[in-house]
Amino acid sequence: MKLHAIVSDPETARTAAEGGASVIQLRLKDATTEELIDQGAAFRALCTEFNVTFVVNDDVQAALALFADGVHLGQDDEDLELALEAGMMVGRSATTPQEASQAEEDGAAYIGAGPIWATPSKPDADPIGLDRLRAISEAVRIPVIAIGGIDPTNARECIDAGAFGVAVVRAAAQAAELSAAL
């Protein structure tokens, strides 16, 4: 789970898988469950082809329908219990050590911590920085995946601050460079 590529199109997903991403997370923020299921079939097939973990963002129903390996849920997303009852791997977003600890207690398999730096994919979110990433990593026993403003030039800093891996949105097409940096 060192390189987690968050993608919205199959071409970038393929580039990320070929470049060494171990997780492909389908993120279509404004899509309905039905649209996620329709578009997600290509991602499921790609992840099977590359033996890569397939995660769906925010939508447990779509993740179940797509036979995803897991689902990533933000602090306000619903259906955590349903995902856990179905045996899915659940990732949770956290911006503080307290949120991370609660997510671990609730059954999360990993934490998505961030944004570490400012990023256009989350323009309203305040960056948490490397010090808070370190505090989150120290607060839990489960893997912490750093996200937000990460690229090949700064990914290693996240690992050095205690993250198990990094997640990328804009830099997903640079998976080979990111993998080399880790």
Side-chain angles (χ1 to χ4, degrees):
M1 202 187 287
K2 277 243 187 217
L3 180 55
H4 198 117
I6 303 172
V7 298
S8 58
D9 68 274
E11 184 178 314
T12 303
R14 177 170 291 282
T15 300
E18 288 172 346
S22 54
V23 176
I24 299 292
Q25 180 174 322
L26 173 59
R27 181 179 190 246
L28 299 172
K29 286 304 270 185
D30 297 321
T32 65
T33 298
E34 292 76 26
E35 290 168 337
L36 267 171
I37 293 167
D38 287 345
Q39 294 182 41
F43 291 85
R44 170 73 273 172
L46 179 111
C47 290
T48 299
E49 175 186 344
F50 282 91
N51 194 29
V52 171
T53 300
F54 177 48
V55 174
V56 173
N57 198 70
D58 295 338
D59 193 320
V60 175
Q61 295 298 330
L64 289 169
L66 290 165
F67 301 100
D69 302 302
V71 63
H72 187 88
L73 301 173
Q75 289 293 310
D76 298 324
D77 291 329
E78 300 178 8
D79 291 335
L80 171 65
E81 294 79 21
L82 176 61
L84 292 171
E85 288 172 10
M88 298 189 85
M89 175 183 68
V90 175
R92 293 299 302 263
S93 297
T95 59
T96 67
Q98 295 79 12
E99 287 176 351
S101 293
Q102 185 62 56
E104 180 178 40
E105 185 177 314
D106 291 344
Y110 70 91
I111 300 296
I116 307 305
W117 294 285
T119 177
S121 62
K122 294 230 180 216
D124 298 334
D126 292 328
I128 66 169
L130 293 171
D131 288 339
R132 191 161 339 146
L133 172 61
R134 182 175 286 106
I136 289 170
S137 298
E138 291 171 354
V140 295
R141 294 177 305 279
I142 58 179
V144 173
I145 307 299
I147 184 169
I150 298 169
D151 62 34
T153 67
N154 61 20
R156 186 74 214 171
E157 292 177 63
C158 297
I159 303 302
D160 292 344
F164 176 77
V166 298
V168 292
V169 178
R170 289 177 301 120
Q174 296 175 290
E177 294 91 343
L178 279 157
S179 292
L182 299 175

